[in-house]
Amino acid sequence: MKNTPIYNVLYREKVTSTNSELRSMMDSQDDFTVLSADFQEAGRGQGDHSWHSAPGCNLTFSILRKYSGDRKLRAGDQQLLTMASSLAVTDFLSSYGVKASIKKPNDIYAGGGKICGMLIENGLCAGYMQWSIIGMGININETDFPNDLPDPVSLCGLVPAEYELKKCLREFLKHFSIRFDAIWTDPEGLRRDYGEKLI
């Protein structure tokens, strides 16, 4: 995995939500800033859904990307960002021997249950995306989920081990960088791989 950018990873013990927190300080942060939290008091999912994660058990983080120069992205190409982000998760899980699938637009399922959800927010101007915040929750070490969650699974439930979260985040970001670059270098490859992973 060559040419991985240097991410500025900010760690917090507790936030309302990583997306909301990162957006509030976006103007003072550079491209490739990541905000990771042990616990979200009000983790957000798509629409009005919330995201559950036990404190210190899972990856809950958001990535800030800013577009400029030759790396502009048309508003109509937002789906490529969704594809790249989703595939980065399946690539990360594959590195641990877990076969994962994508339920449109970007929920990740493995072993018969949901292992990852995400919330992507974009800033648009004059037909182009100015920035994106890609928020993710990936179940890693959690074993005791609330009863009202529909079929949740975690990495440790599929491949038994206790995983070091900061190491997992570093590994994920390598996969994310490769898939994100493909938005410009290989968009057709993204569309193909995404289609092959769909449930």
Side-chain angles (χ1 to χ4, degrees):
M1 298 180 182
K2 298 184 292 185
N3 301 321
T4 300
I6 297 175
Y7 287 87
N8 175 32
V9 182
L10 309 174
Y11 292 99
R12 300 285 188 270
E13 182 177 345
K14 181 170 65 174
V15 297
T16 52
S17 87
T18 56
N19 265 40
S20 298
E21 187 90 1
L22 187 54
R23 185 166 182 174
S24 71
M25 59 184 185
M26 180 174 60
D27 291 343
S28 64
Q29 299 299 321
D30 294 328
D31 192 11
F32 299 110
T33 295
V34 179
L35 179 63
S36 177
D38 288 337
F39 179 63
Q40 297 183 106
E41 295 178 305
R44 298 160 56 203
Q46 296 288 346
D48 59 357
H49 294 167
S50 60
W51 179 259
H52 162 83
S53 179
C57 287
N58 306 311
L59 284 178
T60 50
F61 62 94
S62 296
I63 305 168
L64 173 63
R65 295 308 320 261
K66 295 182 177 182
Y67 306 101
S68 61
D70 61 351
R71 288 295 174 100
K72 292 182 179 179
L73 192 60
R74 291 183 177 86
D77 289 332
Q78 293 180 51
Q79 61 177 345
L80 290 173
L81 176 60
T82 296
M83 293 175 182
S85 302
S86 301
L87 288 167
V89 179
T90 64
D91 293 343
F92 164 74
L93 293 171
S94 179
S95 71
Y96 286 94
V98 174
K99 183 178 180 181
S101 301
I102 303 166
K103 180 180 178 182
K104 280 189 173 183
N106 51 26
D107 286 337
I108 310 301
Y109 282 75
K114 184 175 177 178
I115 195 169
C116 172
M118 65 185 76
L119 174 64
I120 300 176
E121 300 178 284
N122 302 303
L124 307 175
C125 180
Y128 283 88
M129 294 167 58
Q130 304 300 302
W131 54 265
S132 296
I133 294 177
I134 304 103
M136 295 202 180
I138 306 176
N139 296 332
I140 301 293
N141 290 319
E142 188 159 2
T143 58
D144 188 16
F145 292 95
N147 292 329
D148 58 346
L149 292 182
D151 301 320
V153 297
S154 62
L155 179 57
C156 75
L158 298 172
V159 183
E162 184 172 347
Y163 297 93
E164 205 279 297
L165 294 179
K166 289 184 178 180
K167 179 182 177 183
C168 287
L169 179 57
R170 290 193 298 270
E171 292 172 346
F172 170 80
L173 291 174
K174 293 177 182 178
H175 293 288
F176 178 80
S177 296
I178 292 172
R179 290 296 190 175
F180 191 85
D181 283 346
I183 292 173
W184 293 274
T185 62
D186 188 19
E188 290 309 311
L190 278 182
R191 293 186 176 96
R192 179 195 65 239
D193 293 349
Y194 180 82
E196 291 175 353
K197 290 287 186 180
L198 285 179
I199 294 175

